[in-house]
Amino acid sequence: MSTTLYVRLPHRPHDQPQPWQPGPLPFALVSHAATDRGRRAGAGPTTVQLLRAGHAAVADLPAADRLVLIVAASDVLLTSAAVPPLAPARLRLALPNLVEDALASDTGPCHIAVGPALDADAPRAGSRRRLLMVADRAWLRAVLDAFATHRHRARHVLPAQLCVPLAGPVDGEAGPTQPATLVVEADTTVLAAEPLLDTTALPATASGTHRWHVTVRTGPHAGYGLLLGHDALAAWQALAPAGIWYGDRDALAQAPVPALRVEPRSPDWPLWIEGAQACLREPSLNLAQFEFAQGRADRWNLRAWRLPLALAAALLLVQVIGMNLHWLLLRNEAKRLEASQLQVLHTAFPQVPVVIEPPLQMRRQVEQLRLASGRSTPDDFLPLADRFAQAAGFLAPDALQGLEYRSHTLFVTLKPGTDTARLAGSARQAGLSMEEDRSPPEPGAIARPSGSRWTVKPGL
């Protein structure tokens, strides 16, 4: 089950400068549950349930899976033109030239959205006649900025004239004709206590019912909107297309339209929701295009990424399982080697009670045996001194300034200027490792002679 939030916007104020401040807006929150037949088909029929309806500020609107903004019909011009097959960036630059003949003003402040193709039989390779939806760019930006913090996954901006259900064709003398659907409502920007815009600068009227908002749909992709006064509405009926009239409660009580109907539908949310659902079936009927299209994060479609995500998850799972199996094999190998070392140690020295590290304990036991037999180890003083004397045979008699043995290490102090590089090479050939000792002298120790100090140990 998914939820959709429908919000109707008032008409754009023509006599008030920007910025426009948001206020309470009419909204309806509905839930969509797929029917059994729709589930089997993967889409299709759904049951709609109205959960909430009323007026609220943008910050107080409930969150939903999908947000549908219905722009007043008087703020959207529907026209058509032959649109060439261009890339989106180039098409955006070409659209103003296609609609300039249909506009009475400059195309600079206009936002132009491309709707569905109107000539279904035309070849797809060339230019096709498409529906073009023209709105004020500043007004659309102000509306979308106001809803920037609202929580929703998908967003649609629809013209109100296409959200009115289309009446069925009527048979006449010249064949089937398409009757218009006309909706008359009181102007919300006058009646609302806190409308979408600040009305303090607007001229006051004697009564809110003296201005009427008329939404007209004359075809599948045709319609318009008018903002008329009380007397103008009465006069406009002579020019209005033939069709079915609907009106809200104020219109039924005060509008000078004798043909207004209440049954079977009224211009309440059920009527707008029915028309908007039919509009949503065509993805191109969306004013939020080009610079107003949803960002990459908003357009994230988990369903489209199911296969790559499943593949990535499978690869990650295989890698984790493989790493754990390899770790188990290495762990078993380590245990086997440790057991083997322990067995060798116990075989050579059965008297050893506790084993902490078999190689280290084996080395200590061997050293103890060597010392007990009177044999010296490679890191004793005499072996180290003898091998160092062999390596330092080329040095001058006064090159060696000091010799100290401590902790199985021979400390050698050399006269400044001694060829230590050659000495280190000779020591390496004699099986010794020779490194410079840069550690500071211990407190209370005898002062070291001047020169470089080196440590000599048995080579690895």
Side-chain angles (χ1 to χ4, degrees):
M1 183 179 69
S2 62
T3 56
T4 302
L5 179 66
Y6 296 90
V7 181
R8 292 194 60 193
L9 305 175
H11 69 85
R12 178 177 63 90
H14 297 271
D15 48 3
Q16 184 195 23
Q18 300 184 48
W20 296 294
Q21 299 298 326
L25 301 172
F27 75 93
L29 179 65
V30 302
S31 64
H32 305 271
T35 61
D36 294 338
R37 186 179 57 164
R39 284 195 195 95
R40 289 192 298 266
T46 60
T47 58
V48 178
Q49 180 183 3
L50 183 61
L51 301 178
R52 290 177 56 187
H55 290 71
V58 176
D60 300 329
L61 290 173
D65 297 324
R66 179 168 56 182
L67 173 66
V68 178
L69 302 176
I70 302 178
V71 184
S74 58
D75 294 333
V76 182
L77 172 66
L78 300 184
T79 184
S80 62
V83 179
L86 299 175
R90 299 183 60 187
L91 179 60
R92 179 184 173 186
L93 299 177
L95 286 176
N97 298 325
L98 302 179
V99 300
E100 59 181 357
D101 294 338
L103 297 179
S105 60
D106 185 21
T107 60
C110 296
H111 168 71
I112 307 170
V114 182
L118 304 181
D119 48 357
D121 300 334
R124 295 181 177 271
S127 299
R128 303 188 65 182
R129 180 158 294 275
R130 304 180 72 94
L131 174 68
L132 299 180
M133 300 170 287
V134 186
D136 184 79
R137 181 180 290 106
W139 171 249
L140 191 57
R141 186 181 301 278
V143 169
L144 295 182
D145 289 345
F147 284 87
T149 58
H150 182 265
R151 292 183 300 170
H152 57 271
R153 296 181 182 177
R155 182 189 64 204
H156 301 268
V157 184
L158 306 178
Q161 56 265 53
L162 298 183
C163 294
V164 176
L166 191 63
V170 178
D171 294 333
E173 296 181 358
T177 59
Q178 177 66 58
T181 303
L182 304 95
V183 178
V184 181
E185 299 172 289
D187 183 15
T188 56
T189 58
V190 178
L191 293 181
E194 297 181 13
L196 181 66
L197 55 132
D198 185 5
T199 57
T200 55
L202 296 178
T205 56
S207 174
T209 57
H210 285 184
R211 298 177 67 185
W212 303 99
H213 196 204
V214 182
T215 303
V216 183
R217 185 173 186 180
T218 57
H221 300 99
Y224 55 91
L226 299 172
L227 188 64
L228 302 175
H230 194 77
D231 297 334
L233 177 60
W236 181 77
Q237 295 181 58
L239 304 175
I244 304 174
W245 290 74
Y246 298 97
D248 60 5
R249 295 180 179 178
D250 296 311
L252 293 171
Q254 303 180 38
V257 182
L260 286 181
R261 301 175 47 175
V262 182
E263 298 296 340
R265 296 173 296 187
S266 63
D268 206 347
W269 279 115
L271 180 137
W272 293 105
I273 291 174
E274 178 185 349
Q277 283 186 317
C279 225
L280 291 174
R281 296 189 187 102
E282 297 189 40
S284 57
L285 289 178
N286 188 0
L287 286 168
Q289 299 181 16
F290 302 112
E291 70 266 36
F292 298 117
Q294 287 183 279
R296 293 183 178 179
D298 297 332
R299 291 180 296 180
W300 177 266
N301 187 0
L302 186 59
R303 181 173 299 178
W305 287 86
R306 284 183 301 178
L307 183 59
L309 289 177
L311 181 59
L315 292 176
L316 180 61
L317 181 62
V318 170
Q319 183 178 6
V320 171
I321 294 176
M323 291 176 62
N324 282 273
L325 290 176
H326 186 61
W327 176 80
L328 289 175
L329 293 176
L330 292 179
R331 182 184 179 186
N332 293 334
E333 181 69 15
K335 288 183 176 181
R336 188 183 65 80
L337 292 176
E338 184 178 356
S340 177
Q341 292 174 353
L342 186 60
Q343 183 179 4
V344 172
L345 178 62
H346 282 167
T347 301
F349 304 97
Q351 73 279 8
V352 177
V354 180
V355 176
I356 300 176
E357 187 176 351
L360 178 60
Q361 212 156 3
M362 186 74 167
R363 189 179 304 112
R364 289 177 179 176
Q365 294 296 328
V366 171
E367 291 178 358
Q368 291 178 4
L369 290 177
R370 184 182 292 112
L371 292 175
S373 64
R375 299 174 59 188
S376 60
T377 60
D379 55 355
D380 286 342
F381 172 72
L382 290 178
L384 281 177
D386 180 63
R387 297 169 73 176
F388 179 74
Q390 296 177 10
F394 67 93
L395 295 179
D398 60 344
L400 183 63
Q401 293 185 340
L403 193 65
E404 180 184 355
Y405 177 78
R406 186 176 67 252
S407 301
H408 301 280
T409 304
L410 190 65
F411 295 89
V412 179
T413 304
L414 300 175
K415 182 180 179 180
T418 304
D419 190 358
T420 56
R422 181 181 176 185
L423 180 59
S426 299
R428 191 163 43 252
Q429 293 178 359
L432 300 176
S433 65
M434 182 176 173
E435 296 180 357
E436 187 175 2
D437 182 20
R438 299 182 181 274
S439 61
E442 297 180 358
I446 301 175
R448 296 177 180 177
S450 60
S452 60
R453 183 179 172 88
W454 298 79
T455 61
V456 179
K457 297 180 182 180
L460 300 178

